[in-house]
Amino acid sequence: MQSSSNLFPVALISAERRGDLSEDVYRLKPGNSPDGTVELAVTRLGMADGSDARGVPVILLHGSFSNRRFWFSPKGLGLGAYLTRLGFDVWIPEMRGHGLSQRNQNYRKNRVSDYARYDLPAIGAFVREQSGQVPHWIGHSLGGITLAAALGGQYIGEPVVASAAFFGTQVSRTYWPLKIPPVEWSGRFILKRFAQLSGSRLKRGPEDEPIGLALESMRWYGLFGRFGDADKDWWAGLAEVQLPVLAVSAAGDHQDPAWACRKLFDQLGSEHKQFINLGREQGFADNFGHVEMLVSKAAQVEVWPLVARWLVDQQTPLLGEKPDLATAV
């Protein structure tokens, strides 16, 4: 594997033009986890006819049953493409076994704790090395949970994180049946018979998810569960986070309701943080849903500009005066 990094082996596996955008895909082999077969695909977007100069780096983390196409399509649509056209340096990782990231040897055992402890630190270090700047991070759903775990576990911090934005992210919704030990034990017994959950069969998305994620989440929501692993309490660690934080919920999101997203937001110790609930009560045209908060025509009009404004200025309230995006990047 040819290397374009001084950190670990990296190969440029694809360089394509998508209309006015360039799409470079890197394959990272960090070698920092117990499973040495882990390889991570990270896509960098840029302007095809632009200069070599890049703007502020932004890392976009997809959610469950998803991949890089959540953030931009082959036709050049999506939040990732939008931010690139504004001048941001956009990076889109794909988690183990998703999209262009091949399934590792222990794929079925992959967990958020693996992503947070090993993968996100490697991704953050690589982006900082290549861009020369500390990146901002944006996570949707499971991507946001992984980001929260990495911050709460202190696996990543200020050296590779300028700010953190969470969309549809929560770990506080209660599943009462899992509080009954025999129910949890029975669920674990059944799930262990499978290697993965099928996104297409469950009608959740184009990708599968390893069964390790499901087993891990059952432990979080069990009778004595906590958001953490055997070594660290991630939930408690969130109180120590001092980075600028944005948390966004959607009034029409029944999967990750606003009250639960707010609870995660309140746990974060940052002095500079903002919470927005995308719904009519806060002046939006409609009550957004879990996916529609970022992938919809309404999001393009009402949400994407808010994201860009946050990346430009984390101090000014997003629902207040608007900075000039053309000159601020």
Side-chain angles (χ1 to χ4, degrees), residues 120-153:
L120 262 58
I123 292 165
F126 176 67
V127 171
R128 177 166 183 176
E129 178 196 46
Q130 297 297 307
S131 67
Q133 302 182 66
V134 180
H136 299 270
W137 296 66
I138 299 174
H140 174 253
S141 195
L142 184 62
I145 291 175
T146 303
L147 179 57
L151 290 170

Side-chain angles (χ1 to χ4, degrees), residues 69-146:
R69 293 306 181 197
F70 180 85
W71 300 109
F72 81 105
S73 72
K75 294 184 179 180
L77 302 175
L79 177 61
Y82 171 81
L83 293 176
T84 301
R85 293 185 177 105
L86 285 178
F88 293 98
D89 186 10
V90 175
W91 298 79
I92 308 176
E94 292 178 290
M95 294 300 99
R96 304 177 181 193
H98 293 72
L100 299 175
S101 293
Q102 298 180 0
R103 292 193 177 188
N104 53 302
Q105 183 176 347
N106 295 325
Y107 167 81
R108 74 183 312 274
K109 296 183 179 180
N110 288 340
R111 303 164 300 164
V112 166
S113 58
D114 298 313
Y115 302 161
R117 184 188 294 267
Y118 305 116
D119 300 348
L120 262 58
I123 292 165
F126 176 67
V127 171
R128 177 166 183 176
E129 178 196 46
Q130 297 297 307
S131 67
Q133 302 182 66
V134 180
H136 299 270
W137 296 66
I138 299 174
H140 174 253
S141 195
L142 184 62
I145 291 175
T146 303

